[in-house]
Amino acid sequence: MSQLLARATKALCYLALLVAAHAAQAERLPRILVFGDSNSWGWIASPQGFPAQRLNDAARWPGVLGAALAGQATVLVDGLSGRTVDADYPEALVGLPGALFNANRSLPAALARETPLDLLIVMLGTNDLRADLGRTPDAIAHGLRTLVEQTRSFGHGVATPYAPPTVLVVIPPPLGDVSRTPLRDFFADMAAKSHALAPAVQRALAGTPVFDATEATGPLAGIDGVHLSAAQHAMLGQALAPVVRRALGLPTPTETPQ
């Protein structure tokens, strides 16, 4: 009898925790994670190429998006300069092993770290265009599809009841003029490949929400041809706001929730 009572008490406690978790989730604002590279981190392009300085939070496109969604959603950012879709670098960077820049390896931990999440925005692919990596647009696109599948099959974090987030893939703009800074050593002659990335991703991710950043920004306009300009950060953040509202079922600022 005491064992039955103990089991019943344990079950009731677990049920109470689930109810409390779902109630808390219903009350909170939707949470969005931006998972990207230096163009989400806020790298300021410069003639010398390195070392990099960073735009302030409000000026980066995730910050612009967050301001546009103020009171409707919380925008979190995991931006790592140099991050690839699923390629290990052949060398260490800034003291970090090349494998740590591979999003395929690091995304599960990022999802677990920021759970609960309602939307994951992935903006990756520019660093995969590095000449020494030898990636094709189709290979990069299929790597992005793997990240989407990885997210959809994500469990419940670390001992939590939360479901996986919806995924929005933002295709980075094509390269600009890379001849003016030392980054030319990595991206010379990659312009055509960068222009082929958007159609390759759209083919590989049919049925997945995709936004081509070029529609908002045009090609990358930072002086190095690899990074967004400050103006492009503002353009992209503003352009994504209505896309994100639709993905999450949020009203526009002029609408009244039903």
Side-chain angles (χ1 to χ4, degrees):
M1 188 69 178
S2 60
Q3 288 183 345
L4 288 175
L5 182 59
R7 290 175 184 170
T9 301
K10 185 176 180 180
L12 286 172
C13 288
Y14 181 70
L15 180 60
L17 286 172
L18 284 178
V19 170
H22 285 294
Q25 188 172 15
E27 293 172 1
R28 67 173 174 79
L29 290 178
R31 286 164 56 86
I32 301 164
L33 176 62
V34 173
F35 189 73
D37 54 25
S38 55
N39 274 318
S40 298
W41 181 81
W43 184 296
I44 300 174
S46 64
Q48 68 272 19
F50 308 97
Q53 295 190 43
R54 189 181 196 182
L55 287 170
N56 65 54
D57 290 350
R60 294 181 295 147
W61 73 260
V64 175
L65 174 63
L69 299 175
Q72 292 185 297
T74 299
V75 178
L76 310 166
V77 186
D78 186 334
L80 176 63
S81 296
R83 180 177 278 152
T84 65
V85 172
D86 61 352
D88 291 353
Y89 280 135
E91 79 280 10
L93 292 178
V94 296
L96 298 177
L100 291 184
F101 294 88
N102 182 332
N104 185 267
R105 297 178 185 269
S106 59
L107 179 58
L111 293 173
R113 185 163 50 244
E114 301 297 350
T115 291
L117 290 169
D118 300 274
L119 180 67
L120 173 70
I121 301 177
V122 176
M123 182 173 164
L124 291 169
T126 301
N127 290 304
D128 297 80
L129 296 169
R130 275 179 43 161
D132 59 331
L133 295 180
R135 311 296 307 285
T136 66
D138 284 332
I140 298 168
H142 282 87
L144 285 167
R145 186 172 67 186
T146 298
L147 295 184
V148 172
E149 293 169 349
Q150 198 175 48
T151 303
R152 288 174 175 165
S153 62
F154 180 69
H156 300 290
V158 180
T160 74
Y162 302 111
T166 300
V167 186
L168 169 65
V169 173
V170 177
I171 307 170
L175 298 171
D177 181 1
V178 302
S179 67
R180 295 173 289 179
T181 79
L183 290 179
R184 75 176 74 88
D185 296 338
F186 297 104
F187 295 99
D189 302 321
M190 294 295 107
K193 186 181 289 188
S194 72
H195 280 276
L197 183 58
V201 172
Q202 289 162 343
R203 287 193 302 270
L205 294 181
T208 296
V210 170
F211 180 81
D212 185 354
T214 312
E215 297 176 11
T217 66
L220 293 164
I223 193 171
D224 57 15
V226 178
H227 293 100
L228 297 164
S229 67
Q232 287 180 314
H233 274 274
M235 294 173 190
L236 181 56
Q238 290 290 346
L240 280 171
V243 178
V244 169
R245 288 194 187 97
R246 287 194 296 271
L248 293 175
L250 300 173
T252 63
T254 57
E255 291 178 345
T256 302
Q258 300 297 316

